[in-house]
Amino acid sequence: MYFTDRGIEELESRRGDEEVSFEWLAERLREFVDLNPDFEVPVERLATWLARLDDDEDED
């Protein structure tokens, strides 16, 4: 288990039944980076990865 799995597990246990929009998620990510500018690159990579998840399927 990676250290980050703890945070993911907490997120799932606390908010796993909720539904959110990508607009809401994008705003929370912007807010997080504003408060934690050192995490700009990892958040950017996560956002890009999420945005492009279906790209491989489109190429088939």
Side-chain angles (χ1 to χ4, degrees):
M1 176 190 319
Y2 292 104
F3 179 73
T4 55
D5 288 350
R6 294 180 199 163
I8 293 168
E9 288 175 357
E10 181 178 351
L11 174 63
E12 184 177 27
S13 70
R14 287 178 173 236
R15 297 187 164 233
D17 294 334
E18 295 179 26
E19 292 185 23
V20 299
S21 68
F22 280 103
E23 181 179 7
W24 180 90
L25 177 60
E27 191 55 39
R28 298 296 72 78
L29 290 172
R30 285 186 197 99
E31 185 179 336
F32 179 81
V33 170
D34 287 347
L35 295 170
N36 303 279
D38 291 345
F39 289 94
E40 180 179 5
V41 171
V43 169
E44 177 66 22
R45 287 181 182 169
L46 173 60
T48 301
W49 180 77
L50 289 170
R52 297 177 183 174
L53 273 177
D54 295 336
D55 283 359
D56 289 342
E57 292 176 14
D58 293 340
E59 292 175 6
D60 291 340

